[in-house]
Amino acid sequence: MIIFDEDRPSDSPFVERVWRSHSEGADPFLSIATSRCELVLSRLEGEISMTMRGPETKATQMGDCPGGGEWFGIILSPGAYLPLLPPERLVDGQIDLPVVSRNAFWFSGSTWQLPNYENADTFIDWLARQGLLVCDPVVDAALQGPLKGCDPRTVQRHFRRSTGLTLSTKWQIERARYATCLLQEGVSIQDTVEQAGFFDQPHLTRSLKRYIGQTPAQILQKSRPELDFVQFSVSNMQPGSTCSNQYAALNTHRGEKPMSEKSTRPTNAYERWQAHR
């Protein structure tokens, strides 16, 4: 079983969160969809690996996860990426960086000290100073709302280059994760449909099965320990948090009205957003 020990925000503009976990006993592991790239250091069965993971566009059963493993991860901020490892090439995949000793790995022609939970910000600062980690300001600006005077195709090109995804795919993933958080907090299925902007319960169910690998009822039963990581990665969706602000920006992009003002026209949120564009 995977147990997520802790996470924390970062002072670095390139990093959204830092986390660590361990496993006890061998259990099947479910990897859920995410719109972020992340660096993950693994220590499993005496082996060390340093991996750059790309965004995941669907939930995937990963087989049994052995006990006794330890993991530490750095979730990059939206728009932050390593130009030598373009996110477009990492969608639903990953690249293992060569580990040359128990304390070092090889990247961009140099040996780098393996980071840890405590010094992650310093490690990221080193990468940024060397120009190996950059951040696209267009992505961050677009997440706050529509960019006036900016061609939507230009925004999409920036998104694909720095995140590997389209803006619409990113928000479908974020909406599913948001709905998961609501269900984990005890919000009813119908209220989750309304608060997360789904058309109806079947729409919610299809989205969660694709991106989270669970139905709404299964999430309410808290049947998978991996889903605890959703809470870590979205800061619990409290009002005023980065994720809740960005989700509000999603509705701004799509021309959403408050629920009390919405039309009963039978279109889903994605179609309304496309019509707004």
Side-chain angles (χ1 to χ4, degrees):
M1 176 187 296
I2 291 286
I3 299 174
F4 291 96
D5 300 310
E6 60 181 323
D7 79 318
R8 63 173 176 81
S10 169
D11 293 330
S12 170
F14 298 95
V15 177
E16 184 168 284
R17 300 197 76 77
V18 181
W19 58 270
R20 59 182 170 189
S21 66
H22 72 282
S23 62
E24 297 179 358
D27 280 302
F29 179 74
L30 174 67
S31 182
I32 62 179
T34 178
S35 63
R36 311 290 200 268
C37 292
E38 64 179 331
L39 284 160
V40 179
L41 176 64
S42 305
R43 300 180 187 275
L44 183 63
E45 298 181 330
E47 298 292 330
I48 300 173
S49 61
M50 185 69 175
T51 304
M52 184 69 206
R53 299 183 61 186
E56 297 180 67
T57 61
K58 60 184 181 299
T60 306
Q61 293 285 352
M62 304 299 290
D64 284 349
C65 177
E70 296 180 357
W71 293 268
F72 144 69
I74 302 172
I75 302 175
L76 299 182
S77 297
Y81 66 102
L82 302 171
L84 292 178
L85 303 174
E88 285 184 294
R89 301 180 185 177
L90 295 173
V91 176
D92 293 321
Q94 61 184 41
I95 292 178
D96 289 330
L97 304 177
V99 174
V100 297
S101 74
R102 297 195 64 81
N103 299 308
F105 71 101
W106 184 262
F107 180 59
S108 185
S110 301
T111 300
W112 294 76
Q113 181 180 344
L114 288 170
N116 57 45
Y117 186 81
E118 287 74 22
N119 69 12
D121 293 343
T122 300
F123 169 73
I124 289 296
D125 184 58
W126 289 344
L127 289 177
R129 287 175 181 270
Q130 295 296 320
L132 299 174
L133 176 63
V134 299
C135 193
D136 189 333
V138 172
V139 172
D140 183 62
L143 291 175
Q144 310 309 315
L147 295 179
K148 295 181 180 179
C150 187
D151 187 340
R153 291 173 296 183
T154 299
V155 175
Q156 291 286 13
R157 284 196 298 271
H158 280 268
F159 256 84
R160 281 192 176 276
R161 181 184 66 188
S162 60
T163 71
L165 305 173
T166 64
L167 182 57
S168 62
T169 298
K170 170 190 167 53
W171 282 127
Q172 289 178 53
I173 294 171
E174 295 300 330
R175 180 172 57 183
R177 293 171 74 95
Y178 179 46
T180 300
C181 282
L182 293 175
L183 292 167
Q184 287 178 310
E185 292 170 359
V187 177
S188 70
I189 292 176
Q190 188 54 49
D191 285 346
T192 296
V193 168
E194 296 180 358
Q195 291 184 40
F198 290 93
F199 175 57
D200 53 21
Q201 184 173 334
H203 184 200
L204 169 67
T205 299
R206 289 193 301 271
S207 177
L208 294 185
K209 288 177 69 175
R210 173 177 175 81
Y211 296 117
I212 308 300
Q214 297 272 277
T215 65
Q218 289 172 323
I219 294 172
L220 280 171
Q221 295 169 3
K222 300 181 179 179
S223 57
R224 301 291 307 209
E226 300 94 324
L227 298 191
D228 291 342
F229 190 61
V230 176
Q231 291 284 1
F232 280 159
S233 62
V234 299
S235 305
N236 295 321
M237 284 295 184
Q238 295 301 317
S241 70
T242 298
C243 197
S244 62
N245 289 340
Q246 289 181 357
Y247 191 77
L250 159 69
N251 290 336
T252 301
H253 271 288
R254 294 178 171 178
E256 293 283 280
K257 298 178 180 179
M259 292 303 300
S260 61
E261 300 178 17
K262 284 187 179 181
S263 166
T264 56
R265 181 170 174 262
T267 58
N268 62 33
Y270 176 69
E271 291 169 343
R272 290 196 295 271
W273 177 65
Q274 292 285 51
H276 176 64
R277 292 179 60 199

